[in-house]
Amino acid sequence: MSTLDRTMCRARAHPLAVDATLAAGVLACMVAGSFVDPHGENGATWITRTPNALSLTLMVLGAAVLVFRRRAPITVLAATGAVSLVELVVGDPRAPVAMSAVVALFTVASATDRHTAWRLGLVTMTVLTAAAMLAGPLPWYAQENLGIFAWTGMAAAAGDAVRSRRAFVDAIRERAERAERTREEEARRRVAEERLRIARDLHDVVAHHIALVNVQAGVAAHVMDKRPDQAKEALAHVRDASRSALNELRATVGLLRQSGDPEAPTEPAPGLGRLDELADTFRNAGLPVEVARDHGTGLPAAVDLAAYRVIQEALTNVRKHAGPDAKAEVSVVRVGPNVEVTVLDNGPGQDDGPEEGGGHGLLGMRERVTALGGRCTAGPRYGGGFRVHAILPVKNRTPARGASV
């Protein structure tokens, strides 16, 4: 911090001391000015004379009230205007007592609103100038009288300019602080959204693969003694499912790495291009799955991933809740500007609701689809079974705030 900055900080911390110093300086200037003869033979000259007692008293009073100019600016203006008016009327020769009124008027203009500043400035300028021209010892056109008019006008204008600049700086500072708060809130919002997205991905990966591992492990344990070949096949599916789960978990957790951490996997996120592979994993787990799709090509990455995750979660719920004899049908169709994903099953086990026990699969599907501006519905089918239906816009739209799912 420079010397000037330290001085300004001290001045802001002790305003009364600053005003007392200013008042002393104004008094010194007024006393010094009272020794100047503006009408000398060679122009303004110093003369040897002592100000009369009344002028000296008025100068002291005018300077003394300036100490309180910040606390009561209008009252100080009235007091300095009064002593200046008295000096202009009875002073002969005059002492520059009006200097205190000029300082007080500047303070009023810088501390109040523009309407008040110009109204009081006009009154002060008119009263003092009229008194100097009409009641003083000098002719009305004397330079001293015109000087009263000029100095009071400049004081009001300068004070208003200072107030305007201070308001401008405060507005800029407020906008900067508001922008900083907005950036912080936006950063927190994006962090929360990213956490929610990662949580959905982790749920989808873990729920899907652990369900498959659980089913295949149960099959292996059941046929281990009587059909070891089938048990080996089931264990191979367990190994493949666990490896796939680890790979997807590694890719998801890689999003949380810092810049100095080892490089994250570069394997692309799953999409509808892996739909047949996904269906095969469920078929291997004993769930017949039929797939029908006509969605074209070139889907946005977010839409492609969301459609894949919806199908993955829906089939996982079918395998977990629909019973051992259930069958599933998957349909992915392009309808106008949207892609519609439908997963149907015929199992009675889901009529009680797949979310029983506190699961978050359906909630995660709805949040994922809604985040892309789409809609997701899920519920029992007439005659038995369950239906999951998602509509995803191919061109990503930002959903309306507070939109229902």
Side-chain angles (χ1 to χ4, degrees):
M1 182 180 293
S2 64
T3 303
L4 179 60
D5 292 335
R6 287 194 294 269
T7 303
M8 294 297 293
C9 290
R10 294 193 189 98
R12 284 191 289 266
H14 303 89
L16 190 62
V18 174
D19 291 338
T21 304
L22 175 64
V26 171
L27 178 60
C29 292
M30 288 191 294
V31 172
S34 65
F35 287 94
V36 176
D37 181 9
H39 304 287
E41 295 180 358
N42 299 319
T45 57
W46 288 92
I47 60 175
T48 303
R49 71 179 181 86
T50 302
N52 57 54
L54 178 60
S55 296
L56 188 58
T57 301
L58 294 175
M59 285 188 287
V60 173
L61 291 176
V65 295
L66 289 178
V67 177
F68 308 100
R69 68 187 185 96
R70 297 181 200 242
R71 297 184 179 182
I74 296 178
T75 302
V76 169
L77 176 61
T80 54
V83 297
S84 300
L85 186 62
V86 172
E87 175 63 21
L88 291 173
V89 172
V90 303
D92 188 16
R94 292 174 181 168
V97 181
M99 186 181 297
S100 61
V102 171
V103 175
L105 181 57
F106 170 84
T107 303
V108 169
S110 64
T112 60
D113 59 278
R114 175 165 294 176
H115 176 73
T116 301
W118 285 109
R119 178 168 53 84
L120 294 179
L122 183 61
V123 171
T124 302
M125 182 172 56
T126 302
V127 171
L128 294 185
T129 303
M133 289 183 174
L134 301 177
L138 300 175
W140 69 270
Y141 53 83
Q143 293 182 355
E144 290 86 341
N145 298 337
L146 299 178
I148 296 295
F149 178 84
W151 280 106
T152 51
M154 287 190 295
D160 183 70
V162 170
R163 180 197 57 78
S164 298
R165 183 182 182 279
R166 187 184 300 128
F168 178 72
V169 172
D170 291 342
I172 291 178
R173 184 181 295 111
E174 181 182 358
R175 284 197 296 269
E177 293 174 354
R178 185 166 59 249
E180 184 65 24
R181 289 194 300 269
T182 303
R183 283 194 295 269
E184 292 176 356
E185 292 172 359
E186 178 67 14
R188 287 194 293 268
R189 184 186 66 81
R190 292 190 178 186
V191 168
E193 290 179 352
E194 184 66 14
R195 287 176 176 172
L196 180 60
R197 189 188 68 80
I198 293 175
R200 287 197 299 262
D201 284 343
L202 288 175
H203 173 272
D204 293 341
V205 171
V206 172
H208 165 61
H209 291 291
I210 295 303
L212 295 182
V213 168
N214 181 58
V215 171
Q216 296 291 356
V219 171
H222 181 70
V223 301
M224 179 67 72
D225 296 330
K226 297 180 180 180
R227 295 191 294 271
D229 293 338
Q230 187 174 353
K232 290 181 180 180
E233 183 180 355
L235 291 176
H237 290 313
V238 169
R239 181 187 60 202
D240 294 339
S242 60
R243 182 185 298 114
S244 179
L246 288 175
N247 291 336
E248 293 197 30
L249 283 174
R250 188 178 299 112
T252 303
V253 175
L255 299 174
L256 304 176
R257 295 181 183 273
Q258 302 295 325
S259 59
D261 292 341
E263 185 177 356
T266 57
E267 181 181 354
L272 294 177
R274 297 174 57 182
L275 183 55
D276 291 333
E277 178 183 344
L278 177 66
D280 288 339
T281 61
F282 285 98
R283 295 186 185 109
N284 293 332
L287 174 65
V289 180
E290 295 182 5
V291 178
R293 54 181 174 178
D294 180 19
H295 59 82
T297 59
L299 293 179
V303 175
D304 199 26
L305 175 61
Y308 180 88
R309 292 304 189 195
V310 167
I311 297 171
Q312 183 185 54
E313 178 61 30
L315 291 178
T316 300
N317 286 335
V318 173
R319 189 66 188 86
K320 290 166 59 177
H321 303 284
D325 298 326
K327 296 180 181 180
E329 298 178 6
V330 178
S331 172
V332 183
V333 181
R334 177 74 175 264
V335 180
N338 302 320
V339 170
E340 296 191 11
V341 176
T342 306
V343 180
L344 307 174
D345 71 81
N346 61 350
Q350 280 195 287
D351 289 340
D352 296 333
E355 294 302 300
E356 184 179 1
H360 300 280
L362 293 182
L363 178 61
M365 282 193 292
R366 291 191 180 102
E367 290 177 346
R368 184 185 294 278
V369 172
T370 304
L372 297 175
R375 299 189 306 276
C376 181
T377 57
R381 299 171 59 194
Y382 178 76
F386 205 79
R387 176 179 183 267
V388 174
H389 181 65
I391 301 176
L392 293 163
V394 175
K395 292 184 178 180
N396 189 11
R397 299 191 301 268
T398 301
R401 186 178 296 275
S404 62
V405 297

